Amino acid sequence: MSTEYAESRETTEGRVYHVSGGDWDDVLTDAQHDERMVINMGPQHPSTHGVLRLVLELEGETVTQLRSVIGYLHTGIEKNTEYRTWTQGVTFVTRMDYLSPLFNELGYCLAVEKLLGVEVPKRAQLIRVLLCEINRIGSHLVYIATGGMELGATTAMTLGFREREEVLHLLEFLTGLRMNHAFIRPGGVAQDLPTDGLTKIDEFVKVMEKRLPLYDKLFTGQPIWRNRLKGVGYLPVDACLALGVTGPILRSAGLPWDLRKVEPYSSYDEFEFDIPTSTEADCWARYLCRVEEMHQSLRIIKQVAKRLAEPGPVMVADKKIAWPAQLSISSDGMGNSLEHVRKIMGQSMESLIHHFKLVTEGFKVPPGQVYAPVESPRGELGFHVVSDGGTRPMRVHVREPSFVNLQSMPAMSEGGLVADVIAAVASIDPVMGGVDR
């Protein structure tokens, strides 16, 4: 018999092994390996943040191997933009990361404007910042709501979505839609704020300043929540950099990398706000970072609201780019203002032809390629846009943070318990619409 196995002898009861010393470790290892099982978690699992499928190899309750399987929500958005005008492309990209649609619109429009070589009016930049920071609060609230529910804190779900309704009500008031707004357009924004927009923003800030401390009472100071997240899903800063992970995950590992500070866009360099960081690099640190980010977003919103008191244009002056022309809210929803309709329908044939061509064909964009990144609630959201000089994009490719951050799942989960996989997924906060786009 080979010396790598323990000595044995045959008896009337069967084979008997004599195991001693280091041999026992080998036998135990073989026995354990035989007991490993592979299970599917998802794609219809309620705790995988959408249609994400995780293939887990388990040894008892310990995860020995994890693989993410994606593609169940594939929409072909990047390819679809090649068959639409530059302005119509906004209506596609806004549907990618459906929890932060305004960031998708902003990144895309910044890329188009870089190709066009135009600068957006200051008021339009301020409105963009305002909408994105309101949207950031809404996105982080969904993270707390869904993450809390997945870990058994059902109060987090009811409270988080209660506050998110405040966000959606305000966005609907300002843009006309709760989600998928297509409000940020190449050259500016679709229309100015409603007349009592600043009043509504002020009311929203007061409500959120009253309710956000409640999350600290309910979760930050609660030992069960803290113990459930501390030391779980550990991902140090060197692992984040190796995997390309950005956003709250990277900042919770100690690197204060926020594009609003390091590569400012849309006048972010004119506002005062802090970048919350931590060195814990676990689920607990990511939770604390996101809660503090909501407070910082409120700071920015208050500063923007003060500056929005002064009127100004919200779209570039170039009429060959500014589409649609003059929007207003009417009895049947949003449409062109009556003055504009009168002009193109009854006074100027040239205006009618120009309006028709601009809406149907769109404007031409000089040939070239650019990359425009923004800091979305999940990290660096970048748009690589290529133009061949026509009225449609030649190529749009998105550097989507949920997709990149999902690479960290094995590093966070392997060696931990299967129950901690849930906490790790929640702390990454992936949106599958953005991953699969």
Side-chain angles (χ1 to χ4, degrees):
M1 188 180 287
S2 173
T3 54
E4 63 180 287
Y5 293 107
E7 291 180 14
S8 64
R9 61 188 173 87
E10 299 294 336
T11 69
T12 53
E13 300 297 321
R15 186 177 294 175
V16 175
Y17 288 95
H18 300 281
V19 182
S20 61
D23 292 343
W24 174 244
D25 295 331
D26 298 335
V27 174
L28 193 62
T29 303
D30 287 341
Q32 283 179 327
H33 187 71
D34 291 339
E35 288 178 8
R36 287 184 186 173
M37 62 177 176
V38 177
I39 64 165
N40 277 304
M41 185 177 150
Q44 76 289 4
H45 195 281
S47 296
T48 54
H49 279 250
V51 279
L52 169 65
R53 177 181 166 208
L54 299 173
V55 179
L56 306 172
E57 186 183 87
L58 300 178
E59 198 171 274
E61 286 195 34
T62 304
V63 179
T64 53
Q65 197 177 15
L66 180 147
R67 291 194 302 278
S68 303
V69 184
I70 61 173
Y72 293 94
L73 202 60
H74 185 53
T75 46
I77 284 170
E78 292 166 329
K79 196 70 182 168
N80 271 310
T81 56
E82 297 173 23
Y83 297 90
R84 297 292 187 279
T85 65
W86 291 94
T87 303
Q88 288 169 336
V90 177
T91 64
F92 282 92
V93 298
T94 188
R95 287 166 164 78
M96 291 188 309
D97 180 345
Y98 41 77
L99 290 184
S100 51
L102 288 154
F103 293 89
N104 303 329
E105 298 171 20
L106 178 58
Y108 173 79
C109 289
L110 286 175
V112 177
E113 287 151 10
K114 208 185 249 190
L115 282 168
L116 285 167
V118 299
E119 187 174 350
V120 174
K122 180 61 76 174
R123 187 172 177 83
Q125 291 183 28
L126 294 174
I127 291 173
R128 288 175 171 190
V129 170
L130 171 80
L131 294 173
C132 282
E133 293 309 317
I134 295 169
N135 200 176
R136 191 185 307 276
I137 294 172
S139 180
H140 285 345
L141 285 168
V142 174
Y143 150 74
I144 293 176
T146 55
M149 183 189 67
E150 286 153 13
L151 295 173
T154 49
T155 314
M157 185 76 174
T158 52
L159 285 185
F161 275 93
R162 180 188 69 173
E163 266 67 272
R164 182 170 179 254
E165 278 300 304
E166 299 288 342
V167 170
L168 295 182
H169 284 323
L170 180 60
L171 288 177
E172 184 179 19
F173 180 78
L174 298 176
T175 70
L177 290 166
R178 287 161 63 90
M179 296 168 71
N180 306 331
H181 314 270
F183 189 79
I184 298 173
R185 311 273 175 93
V189 293
Q191 63 173 1
D192 206 341
L193 296 180
T195 47
D196 51 347
L198 292 177
T199 309
K200 294 282 187 184
I201 293 162
D202 188 47
E203 290 171 4
F204 169 78
V205 169
K206 285 176 181 170
V207 168
M208 294 310 293
E209 283 182 335
K210 194 168 73 175
R211 291 185 183 175
L212 278 183
L214 189 62
Y215 290 87
D216 286 326
K217 283 183 185 175
L218 269 171
F219 305 111
T220 313
Q222 190 208 90
I224 299 172
W225 181 255
R226 187 171 62 245
N227 296 340
R228 186 67 189 85
L229 298 182
K230 270 201 170 179
V232 173
Y234 181 71
L235 193 74
V237 69
D238 54 343
C240 289
L241 294 173
L243 292 167
V245 170
T246 52
I249 307 174
L250 178 60
R251 292 191 284 275
S252 69
L255 188 66
W257 182 265
D258 189 313
L259 291 167
R260 295 174 294 173
K261 286 281 192 188
V262 295
E263 291 180 24
Y265 54 92
S266 289
S267 306
Y268 266 110
D269 51 336
E270 299 173 12
F271 301 108
E272 286 184 19
F273 62 100
D274 301 320
I275 305 300
T277 56
S278 171
T279 52
E280 301 296 317
D282 57 5
C283 294
W284 174 247
R286 286 166 218 142
Y287 159 76
L288 291 179
C289 275
R290 287 189 177 102
V291 170
E292 182 54 34
E293 276 185 22
M294 290 195 283
H295 288 285
Q296 296 303 322
S297 290
L298 282 178
R299 273 181 73 187
I300 297 171
I301 290 167
K302 286 193 281 189
Q303 293 172 63
V304 174
K306 283 181 184 172
R307 294 179 59 182
L308 280 173
E310 300 170 17
V314 295
M315 182 59 84
V316 291
D318 188 348
K319 292 298 180 187
K320 291 184 178 176
I321 297 170
W323 179 88
Q326 305 295 323
L327 284 180
S328 65
I329 300 293
S330 59
S331 57
D332 58 346
M334 188 187 290
N336 286 298
S337 68
L338 287 174
E339 296 80 36
H340 182 71
V341 173
R342 280 194 201 100
K343 185 179 179 188
I344 65 173
M345 295 304 289
Q347 297 170 16
S348 170
M349 177 57 76
E350 289 79 12
S351 296
L352 179 60
I353 293 168
H354 171 70
H355 182 85
F356 182 76
K357 286 180 72 67
L358 191 59
V359 171
T360 53
E361 292 179 12
F363 51 80
K364 288 186 177 179
V365 171
Q369 60 177 330
V370 295
Y371 177 75
V374 296
E375 185 67 38
S376 94
R378 270 154 281 284
E380 181 178 331
L381 171 65
F383 282 79
H384 176 213
V385 178
V386 184
S387 171
D388 59 359
T391 57
R392 302 185 306 195
M394 182 183 172
R395 185 79 179 91
V396 174
H397 177 64
V398 186
R399 190 256 183 224
E400 223 292 331
S402 291
F403 176 74
V404 181
N405 293 353
L406 209 53
Q407 291 182 110
S408 61
M409 272 303 303
M412 284 186 188
S413 304
E414 287 175 2
L417 297 175
V418 67
D420 292 340
V421 172
I422 308 291
V425 176
S427 75
I428 294 174
D429 188 29
V431 174
M432 300 314 294
V435 174
D436 295 336
R437 62 193 181 284

PDB file of all heavy atoms in Angstrom, residues 13-42:
ATOM      1  N   GLU A  13     -15.216  -6.952  10.562  1.00  0.00           N
ATOM      2  CA  GLU A  13     -16.131  -5.795  10.527  1.00  0.00           C
ATOM      3  C   GLU A  13     -15.821  -4.853   9.361  1.00  0.00           C
ATOM      4  O   GLU A  13     -16.499  -3.857   9.168  1.00  0.00           O
ATOM      5  CB  GLU A  13     -16.050  -5.010  11.851  1.00  0.00           C
ATOM      6  CG  GLU A  13     -16.422  -5.807  13.088  1.00  0.00           C
ATOM      7  CD  GLU A  13     -17.856  -6.270  13.042  1.00  0.00           C
ATOM      8  OE1 GLU A  13     -18.722  -5.505  12.581  1.00  0.00           O
ATOM      9  OE2 GLU A  13     -18.121  -7.417  13.453  1.00  0.00           O
ATOM     10  N   GLY A  14     -14.737  -5.154   8.623  1.00  0.00           N
ATOM     11  CA  GLY A  14     -14.335  -4.275   7.521  1.00  0.00           C
ATOM     12  C   GLY A  14     -12.926  -3.757   7.735  1.00  0.00           C
ATOM     13  O   GLY A  14     -12.195  -4.247   8.611  1.00  0.00           O
ATOM     14  N   ARG A  15     -12.529  -2.795   6.929  1.00  0.00           N
ATOM     15  CA  ARG A  15     -11.168  -2.255   7.015  1.00  0.00           C
ATOM     16  C   ARG A  15     -11.053  -1.264   8.171  1.00  0.00           C
ATOM     17  O   ARG A  15     -11.891  -0.381   8.341  1.00  0.00           O
ATOM     18  CB  ARG A  15     -10.806  -1.559   5.703  1.00  0.00           C
ATOM     19  CG  ARG A  15      -9.344  -1.093   5.655  1.00  0.00           C
ATOM     20  CD  ARG A  15      -8.998  -0.479   4.326  1.00  0.00           C
ATOM     21  NE  ARG A  15      -9.047  -1.457   3.258  1.00  0.00           N
ATOM     22  CZ  ARG A  15      -8.875  -1.178   1.976  1.00  0.00           C
ATOM     23  NH1 ARG A  15      -8.673   0.079   1.608  1.00  0.00           N
ATOM     24  NH2 ARG A  15      -8.930  -2.123   1.053  1.00  0.00           N
ATOM     25  N   VAL A  16      -9.972  -1.397   8.962  1.00  0.00           N
ATOM     26  CA  VAL A  16      -9.705  -0.505  10.090  1.00  0.00           C
ATOM     27  C   VAL A  16      -8.421   0.251   9.799  1.00  0.00           C
ATOM     28  O   VAL A  16      -7.401  -0.354   9.441  1.00  0.00           O
ATOM     29  CB  VAL A  16      -9.563  -1.293  11.415  1.00  0.00           C
ATOM     30  CG1 VAL A  16      -9.160  -0.361  12.543  1.00  0.00           C
ATOM     31  CG2 VAL A  16     -10.873  -2.004  11.748  1.00  0.00           C
ATOM     32  N   TYR A  17      -8.483   1.605   9.936  1.00  0.00           N
ATOM     33  CA  TYR A  17      -7.313   2.459   9.705  1.00  0.00           C
ATOM     34  C   TYR A  17      -6.649   2.809  11.030  1.00  0.00           C
ATOM     35  O   TYR A  17      -7.308   2.978  12.054  1.00  0.00           O
ATOM     36  CB  TYR A  17      -7.716   3.767   8.991  1.00  0.00           C
ATOM     37  CG  TYR A  17      -8.083   3.576   7.543  1.00  0.00           C
ATOM     38  CD1 TYR A  17      -9.412   3.397   7.151  1.00  0.00           C
ATOM     39  CD2 TYR A  17      -7.106   3.592   6.557  1.00  0.00           C
ATOM     40  CE1 TYR A  17      -9.762   3.237   5.836  1.00  0.00           C
ATOM     41  CE2 TYR A  17      -7.444   3.428   5.232  1.00  0.00           C
ATOM     42  CZ  TYR A  17      -8.766   3.252   4.867  1.00  0.00           C
ATOM     43  OH  TYR A  17      -9.099   3.089   3.556  1.00  0.00           O
ATOM     44  N   HIS A  18      -5.324   2.928  11.010  1.00  0.00           N
ATOM     45  CA  HIS A  18      -4.557   3.408  12.154  1.00  0.00           C
ATOM     46  C   HIS A  18      -4.074   4.812  11.794  1.00  0.00           C
ATOM     47  O   HIS A  18      -3.146   4.969  10.998  1.00  0.00           O
ATOM     48  CB  HIS A  18      -3.370   2.483  12.461  1.00  0.00           C
ATOM     49  CG  HIS A  18      -3.786   1.093  12.785  1.00  0.00           C
ATOM     50  ND1 HIS A  18      -4.287   0.726  14.022  1.00  0.00           N
ATOM     51  CD2 HIS A  18      -3.797  -0.046  12.033  1.00  0.00           C
ATOM     52  CE1 HIS A  18      -4.586  -0.564  14.018  1.00  0.00           C
ATOM     53  NE2 HIS A  18      -4.303  -1.065  12.814  1.00  0.00           N
ATOM     54  N   VAL A  19      -4.733   5.811  12.344  1.00  0.00           N
ATOM     55  CA  VAL A  19      -4.411   7.202  11.995  1.00  0.00           C
ATOM     56  C   VAL A  19      -3.756   7.881  13.180  1.00  0.00           C
ATOM     57  O   VAL A  19      -4.269   7.835  14.296  1.00  0.00           O
ATOM     58  CB  VAL A  19      -5.689   7.971  11.608  1.00  0.00           C
ATOM     59  CG1 VAL A  19      -5.344   9.394  11.203  1.00  0.00           C
ATOM     60  CG2 VAL A  19      -6.390   7.262  10.466  1.00  0.00           C
ATOM     61  N   SER A  20      -2.618   8.521  12.927  1.00  0.00           N
ATOM     62  CA  SER A  20      -1.940   9.246  14.003  1.00  0.00           C
ATOM     63  C   SER A  20      -1.125  10.377  13.382  1.00  0.00           C
ATOM     64  O   SER A  20      -0.789  10.346  12.195  1.00  0.00           O
ATOM     65  CB  SER A  20      -1.013   8.311  14.795  1.00  0.00           C
ATOM     66  OG  SER A  20      -0.014   7.790  13.921  1.00  0.00           O
ATOM     67  N   GLY A  21      -0.836  11.384  14.177  1.00  0.00           N
ATOM     68  CA  GLY A  21       0.016  12.472  13.728  1.00  0.00           C
ATOM     69  C   GLY A  21      -0.567  13.228  12.538  1.00  0.00           C
ATOM     70  O   GLY A  21      -1.758  13.473  12.439  1.00  0.00           O
ATOM     71  N   GLY A  22       0.316  13.596  11.591  1.00  0.00           N
ATOM     72  CA  GLY A  22      -0.056  14.413  10.443  1.00  0.00           C
ATOM     73  C   GLY A  22      -0.989  13.728   9.474  1.00  0.00           C
ATOM     74  O   GLY A  22      -1.646  14.401   8.680  1.00  0.00           O
ATOM     75  N   ASP A  23      -1.068  12.357   9.523  1.00  0.00           N
ATOM     76  CA  ASP A  23      -1.954  11.661   8.592  1.00  0.00           C
ATOM     77  C   ASP A  23      -3.400  12.122   8.739  1.00  0.00           C
ATOM     78  O   ASP A  23      -4.143  12.211   7.769  1.00  0.00           O
ATOM     79  CB  ASP A  23      -1.900  10.144   8.830  1.00  0.00           C
ATOM     80  CG  ASP A  23      -0.545   9.554   8.450  1.00  0.00           C
ATOM     81  OD1 ASP A  23       0.210  10.246   7.727  1.00  0.00           O
ATOM     82  OD2 ASP A  23      -0.257   8.450   8.880  1.00  0.00           O
ATOM     83  N   TRP A  24      -3.775  12.433   9.969  1.00  0.00           N
ATOM     84  CA  TRP A  24      -5.175  12.777  10.229  1.00  0.00           C
ATOM     85  C   TRP A  24      -5.589  14.034   9.460  1.00  0.00           C
ATOM     86  O   TRP A  24      -6.690  14.117   8.932  1.00  0.00           O
ATOM     87  CB  TRP A  24      -5.385  12.968  11.731  1.00  0.00           C
ATOM     88  CG  TRP A  24      -6.761  13.458  12.064  1.00  0.00           C
ATOM     89  CD1 TRP A  24      -7.105  14.629  12.634  1.00  0.00           C
ATOM     90  CD2 TRP A  24      -7.989  12.773  11.810  1.00  0.00           C
ATOM     91  NE1 TRP A  24      -8.447  14.743  12.779  1.00  0.00           N
ATOM     92  CE2 TRP A  24      -9.033  13.592  12.264  1.00  0.00           C
ATOM     93  CE3 TRP A  24      -8.317  11.531  11.245  1.00  0.00           C
ATOM     94  CZ2 TRP A  24     -10.375  13.260  12.182  1.00  0.00           C
ATOM     95  CZ3 TRP A  24      -9.654  11.184  11.165  1.00  0.00           C
ATOM     96  CH2 TRP A  24     -10.663  12.035  11.616  1.00  0.00           C
ATOM     97  N   ASP A  25      -4.680  14.995   9.346  1.00  0.00           N
ATOM     98  CA  ASP A  25      -4.990  16.226   8.615  1.00  0.00           C
ATOM     99  C   ASP A  25      -5.304  15.934   7.154  1.00  0.00           C
ATOM    100  O   ASP A  25      -6.224  16.517   6.573  1.00  0.00           O
ATOM    101  CB  ASP A  25      -3.817  17.212   8.697  1.00  0.00           C
ATOM    102  CG  ASP A  25      -3.582  17.684  10.120  1.00  0.00           C
ATOM    103  OD1 ASP A  25      -4.572  17.714  10.880  1.00  0.00           O
ATOM    104  OD2 ASP A  25      -2.438  18.010  10.461  1.00  0.00           O
ATOM    105  N   ASP A  26      -4.541  15.004   6.552  1.00  0.00           N
ATOM    106  CA  ASP A  26      -4.779  14.660   5.146  1.00  0.00           C
ATOM    107  C   ASP A  26      -6.143  14.003   4.964  1.00  0.00           C
ATOM    108  O   ASP A  26      -6.898  14.336   4.040  1.00  0.00           O
ATOM    109  CB  ASP A  26      -3.691  13.705   4.635  1.00  0.00           C
ATOM    110  CG  ASP A  26      -2.314  14.342   4.676  1.00  0.00           C
ATOM    111  OD1 ASP A  26      -2.254  15.593   4.627  1.00  0.00           O
ATOM    112  OD2 ASP A  26      -1.320  13.620   4.760  1.00  0.00           O
ATOM    113  N   VAL A  27      -6.465  13.082   5.842  1.00  0.00           N
ATOM    114  CA  VAL A  27      -7.746  12.383   5.747  1.00  0.00           C
ATOM    115  C   VAL A  27      -8.891  13.384   5.920  1.00  0.00           C
ATOM    116  O   VAL A  27      -9.889  13.366   5.183  1.00  0.00           O
ATOM    117  CB  VAL A  27      -7.845  11.275   6.816  1.00  0.00           C
ATOM    118  CG1 VAL A  27      -9.229  10.638   6.809  1.00  0.00           C
ATOM    119  CG2 VAL A  27      -6.777  10.213   6.566  1.00  0.00           C
ATOM    120  N   LEU A  28      -8.723  14.276   6.897  1.00  0.00           N
ATOM    121  CA  LEU A  28      -9.762  15.262   7.184  1.00  0.00           C
ATOM    122  C   LEU A  28      -9.977  16.185   5.981  1.00  0.00           C
ATOM    123  O   LEU A  28     -11.102  16.489   5.600  1.00  0.00           O
ATOM    124  CB  LEU A  28      -9.364  16.075   8.421  1.00  0.00           C
ATOM    125  CG  LEU A  28     -10.444  16.937   9.059  1.00  0.00           C
ATOM    126  CD1 LEU A  28     -11.587  16.069   9.544  1.00  0.00           C
ATOM    127  CD2 LEU A  28      -9.873  17.756  10.197  1.00  0.00           C
ATOM    128  N   THR A  29      -8.863  16.584   5.353  1.00  0.00           N
ATOM    129  CA  THR A  29      -8.960  17.477   4.196  1.00  0.00           C
ATOM    130  C   THR A  29      -9.732  16.806   3.071  1.00  0.00           C
ATOM    131  O   THR A  29     -10.622  17.404   2.454  1.00  0.00           O
ATOM    132  CB  THR A  29      -7.553  17.858   3.696  1.00  0.00           C
ATOM    133  OG1 THR A  29      -6.839  18.464   4.765  1.00  0.00           O
ATOM    134  CG2 THR A  29      -7.637  18.843   2.535  1.00  0.00           C
ATOM    135  N   ASP A  30      -9.419  15.535   2.794  1.00  0.00           N
ATOM    136  CA  ASP A  30     -10.118  14.810   1.734  1.00  0.00           C
ATOM    137  C   ASP A  30     -11.606  14.677   2.032  1.00  0.00           C
ATOM    138  O   ASP A  30     -12.458  14.866   1.174  1.00  0.00           O
ATOM    139  CB  ASP A  30      -9.509  13.419   1.552  1.00  0.00           C
ATOM    140  CG  ASP A  30      -8.145  13.490   0.879  1.00  0.00           C
ATOM    141  OD1 ASP A  30      -7.857  14.537   0.245  1.00  0.00           O
ATOM    142  OD2 ASP A  30      -7.383  12.532   0.998  1.00  0.00           O
ATOM    143  N   ALA A  31     -11.898  14.392   3.298  1.00  0.00           N
ATOM    144  CA  ALA A  31     -13.300  14.211   3.689  1.00  0.00           C
ATOM    145  C   ALA A  31     -14.078  15.531   3.537  1.00  0.00           C
ATOM    146  O   ALA A  31     -15.195  15.550   3.044  1.00  0.00           O
ATOM    147  CB  ALA A  31     -13.385  13.718   5.124  1.00  0.00           C
ATOM    148  N   GLN A  32     -13.417  16.616   3.930  1.00  0.00           N
ATOM    149  CA  GLN A  32     -14.088  17.913   3.826  1.00  0.00           C
ATOM    150  C   GLN A  32     -14.341  18.271   2.363  1.00  0.00           C
ATOM    151  O   GLN A  32     -15.382  18.787   2.017  1.00  0.00           O
ATOM    152  CB  GLN A  32     -13.230  19.002   4.480  1.00  0.00           C
ATOM    153  CG  GLN A  32     -13.308  18.993   6.000  1.00  0.00           C
ATOM    154  CD  GLN A  32     -12.417  20.066   6.589  1.00  0.00           C
ATOM    155  OE1 GLN A  32     -11.373  20.384   6.049  1.00  0.00           O
ATOM    156  NE2 GLN A  32     -12.819  20.600   7.729  1.00  0.00           N
ATOM    157  N   HIS A  33     -13.361  18.019   1.536  1.00  0.00           N
ATOM    158  CA  HIS A  33     -13.525  18.369   0.123  1.00  0.00           C
ATOM    159  C   HIS A  33     -14.711  17.619  -0.489  1.00  0.00           C
ATOM    160  O   HIS A  33     -15.436  18.167  -1.307  1.00  0.00           O
ATOM    161  CB  HIS A  33     -12.248  18.044  -0.648  1.00  0.00           C
ATOM    162  CG  HIS A  33     -12.284  18.535  -2.060  1.00  0.00           C
ATOM    163  ND1 HIS A  33     -12.208  19.873  -2.369  1.00  0.00           N
ATOM    164  CD2 HIS A  33     -12.430  17.879  -3.237  1.00  0.00           C
ATOM    165  CE1 HIS A  33     -12.302  20.028  -3.676  1.00  0.00           C
ATOM    166  NE2 HIS A  33     -12.424  18.833  -4.228  1.00  0.00           N
ATOM    167  N   ASP A  34     -14.906  16.411  -0.062  1.00  0.00           N
ATOM    168  CA  ASP A  34     -16.029  15.633  -0.602  1.00  0.00           C
ATOM    169  C   ASP A  34     -17.368  16.218  -0.175  1.00  0.00           C
ATOM    170  O   ASP A  34     -18.390  15.946  -0.796  1.00  0.00           O
ATOM    171  CB  ASP A  34     -15.938  14.171  -0.129  1.00  0.00           C
ATOM    172  CG  ASP A  34     -14.761  13.460  -0.777  1.00  0.00           C
ATOM    173  OD1 ASP A  34     -14.297  13.941  -1.837  1.00  0.00           O
ATOM    174  OD2 ASP A  34     -14.301  12.461  -0.215  1.00  0.00           O
ATOM    175  N   GLU A  35     -17.378  16.996   0.911  1.00  0.00           N
ATOM    176  CA  GLU A  35     -18.635  17.525   1.422  1.00  0.00           C
ATOM    177  C   GLU A  35     -18.959  18.915   0.882  1.00  0.00           C
ATOM    178  O   GLU A  35     -19.923  19.535   1.295  1.00  0.00           O
ATOM    179  CB  GLU A  35     -18.593  17.570   2.956  1.00  0.00           C
ATOM    180  CG  GLU A  35     -18.665  16.174   3.577  1.00  0.00           C
ATOM    181  CD  GLU A  35     -18.563  16.223   5.092  1.00  0.00           C
ATOM    182  OE1 GLU A  35     -18.590  17.341   5.646  1.00  0.00           O
ATOM    183  OE2 GLU A  35     -18.452  15.151   5.706  1.00  0.00           O
ATOM    184  N   ARG A  36     -18.147  19.421  -0.017  1.00  0.00           N
ATOM    185  CA  ARG A  36     -18.441  20.730  -0.609  1.00  0.00           C
ATOM    186  C   ARG A  36     -19.628  20.615  -1.547  1.00  0.00           C
ATOM    187  O   ARG A  36     -19.792  19.624  -2.242  1.00  0.00           O
ATOM    188  CB  ARG A  36     -17.229  21.248  -1.386  1.00  0.00           C
ATOM    189  CG  ARG A  36     -16.101  21.700  -0.486  1.00  0.00           C
ATOM    190  CD  ARG A  36     -14.961  22.286  -1.267  1.00  0.00           C
ATOM    191  NE  ARG A  36     -13.843  22.567  -0.377  1.00  0.00           N
ATOM    192  CZ  ARG A  36     -12.652  22.963  -0.790  1.00  0.00           C
ATOM    193  NH1 ARG A  36     -12.429  23.136  -2.070  1.00  0.00           N
ATOM    194  NH2 ARG A  36     -11.691  23.198   0.074  1.00  0.00           N
ATOM    195  N   MET A  37     -20.422  21.689  -1.556  1.00  0.00           N
ATOM    196  CA  MET A  37     -21.548  21.685  -2.486  1.00  0.00           C
ATOM    197  C   MET A  37     -21.642  23.032  -3.189  1.00  0.00           C
ATOM    198  O   MET A  37     -21.263  24.067  -2.640  1.00  0.00           O
ATOM    199  CB  MET A  37     -22.853  21.361  -1.761  1.00  0.00           C
ATOM    200  CG  MET A  37     -23.257  22.347  -0.702  1.00  0.00           C
ATOM    201  SD  MET A  37     -24.851  21.888  -0.003  1.00  0.00           S
ATOM    202  CE  MET A  37     -25.041  23.120   1.265  1.00  0.00           C
ATOM    203  N   VAL A  38     -22.133  22.981  -4.392  1.00  0.00           N
ATOM    204  CA  VAL A  38     -22.293  24.186  -5.202  1.00  0.00           C
ATOM    205  C   VAL A  38     -23.780  24.545  -5.234  1.00  0.00           C
ATOM    206  O   VAL A  38     -24.617  23.702  -5.552  1.00  0.00           O
ATOM    207  CB  VAL A  38     -21.774  23.963  -6.638  1.00  0.00           C
ATOM    208  CG1 VAL A  38     -22.022  25.195  -7.494  1.00  0.00           C
ATOM    209  CG2 VAL A  38     -20.298  23.616  -6.609  1.00  0.00           C
ATOM    210  N   ILE A  39     -24.081  25.790  -4.880  1.00  0.00           N
ATOM    211  CA  ILE A  39     -25.482  26.218  -4.910  1.00  0.00           C
ATOM    212  C   ILE A  39     -25.612  27.523  -5.698  1.00  0.00           C
ATOM    213  O   ILE A  39     -24.672  28.295  -5.803  1.00  0.00           O
ATOM    214  CB  ILE A  39     -26.071  26.410  -3.488  1.00  0.00           C
ATOM    215  CG1 ILE A  39     -25.354  27.545  -2.748  1.00  0.00           C
ATOM    216  CG2 ILE A  39     -26.033  25.134  -2.696  1.00  0.00           C
ATOM    217  CD1 ILE A  39     -26.100  28.026  -1.530  1.00  0.00           C
ATOM    218  N   ASN A  40     -26.783  27.729  -6.256  1.00  0.00           N
ATOM    219  CA  ASN A  40     -27.103  28.987  -6.942  1.00  0.00           C
ATOM    220  C   ASN A  40     -27.814  29.911  -5.976  1.00  0.00           C
ATOM    221  O   ASN A  40     -28.811  29.521  -5.370  1.00  0.00           O
ATOM    222  CB  ASN A  40     -28.041  28.720  -8.133  1.00  0.00           C
ATOM    223  CG  ASN A  40     -27.283  28.292  -9.363  1.00  0.00           C
ATOM    224  OD1 ASN A  40     -26.391  28.992  -9.815  1.00  0.00           O
ATOM    225  ND2 ASN A  40     -27.631  27.139  -9.888  1.00  0.00           N
ATOM    226  N   MET A  41     -27.311  31.134  -5.868  1.00  0.00           N
ATOM    227  CA  MET A  41     -28.024  32.152  -5.108  1.00  0.00           C
ATOM    228  C   MET A  41     -28.486  33.178  -6.148  1.00  0.00           C
ATOM    229  O   MET A  41     -27.714  33.951  -6.667  1.00  0.00           O
ATOM    230  CB  MET A  41     -27.088  32.793  -4.088  1.00  0.00           C
ATOM    231  CG  MET A  41     -27.781  33.779  -3.184  1.00  0.00           C
ATOM    232  SD  MET A  41     -26.599  34.387  -1.974  1.00  0.00           S
ATOM    233  CE  MET A  41     -27.263  36.006  -1.713  1.00  0.00           C
ATOM    234  N   GLY A  42     -29.743  33.151  -6.489  1.00  0.00           N
ATOM    235  CA  GLY A  42     -30.257  34.007  -7.563  1.00  0.00           C
ATOM    236  C   GLY A  42     -30.441  33.196  -8.822  1.00  0.00           C
ATOM    237  O   GLY A  42     -30.275  31.982  -8.797  1.00  0.00           O
TER     238      GLY A  42
END
